[in-house]
Amino acid sequence: MSNQKIKKATGAEPDEFEAQVAQELLNLEMTSTDLKASLRDLYITAAKEVDCGAGRKAIILYVPFKLQKPFQKIQARLVRELEKKFSGRHVIIVAQRNILGKSYARSQKTTGLRPRSRTLTAVQDAILEDIVYPTEITGKRTRCKVDGRRILKVYLDGRDQANVEARTDTYAAVYGKLTNKQVAFHFSS
């Protein structure tokens, strides 16, 4: 029954944790009156539990790119309900995106370059936008240290500081796990 809330790309069976998350989504659809209509046509493609350090964990829900907008409409309520169910863990919703390599060649029928939205940089920027949603990113700076490390400084909207400040460590850990890049979050005034 919970398999209708998770559809893997290759048709593979979901693992135990993914099935548990899908079951919670189904329970929310059945019990929550304000989310029932919104969740009816929505599903996830994968779920992952990430260690954020200091004994904290986060749950990443991967959703199909085409369903990202409907998920974002209900994201605040959905995340709040899921965080109640999975106590002590932050829930982050990220769209499933494809990266095409530099040697990407189109089929004979269509010609042209690879789309900009499929480049590594564009996908990593979009993942960062998904992680911090509904807060907006107001600026980015790349700091190159003397030893060659790069740290991305991301400035978030100062109006959301009260709501987001406790989650910035989780955002940094999740972005680091997904992209292998160091990021530091600050708030613009």
Side-chain angles (χ1 to χ4, degrees), residues 114-170:
R114 72 179 161 160
R116 286 272 185 257
S117 62
R118 306 287 195 288
T119 62
L120 177 70
T121 314
V123 168
Q124 289 180 345
D125 287 346
I127 286 173
L128 186 60
E129 294 273 347
D130 288 352
I131 288 174
V132 301
Y133 188 86
T135 306
E136 289 186 13
I137 295 174
T138 57
K140 289 184 201 171
R141 305 282 181 273
T142 303
R143 179 154 187 229
C144 298
K145 298 237 177 164
V146 179
D147 61 356
R149 288 185 302 152
R150 289 178 164 200
I151 297 177
L152 182 66
K153 284 186 171 183
V154 177
Y155 294 93
L156 301 176
D157 194 354
R159 291 176 290 183
D160 297 325
Q161 184 170 358
N163 303 336
V164 179
E165 197 162 24
R167 302 171 70 102
T168 54
D169 294 337
T170 303

Side-chain angles (χ1 to χ4, degrees), residues 55-96:
R56 292 178 297 120
K57 292 186 183 281
I59 298 171
I60 306 172
L61 299 182
Y62 290 96
V63 300
F65 180 74
K66 290 183 176 184
L67 295 179
Q68 181 187 18
K69 288 283 185 264
F71 264 106
Q72 285 182 343
K73 286 180 184 170
I74 61 165
Q75 183 163 342
R77 289 177 292 165
L78 181 63
V79 165
R80 193 177 332 111
E81 292 296 326
L82 286 174
E83 284 178 353
K84 285 181 197 171
K85 302 281 189 196
F86 299 103
S87 59
R89 293 183 264 187
H90 289 144
V91 176
I92 295 172
I93 298 175
V94 177
Q96 187 83 47

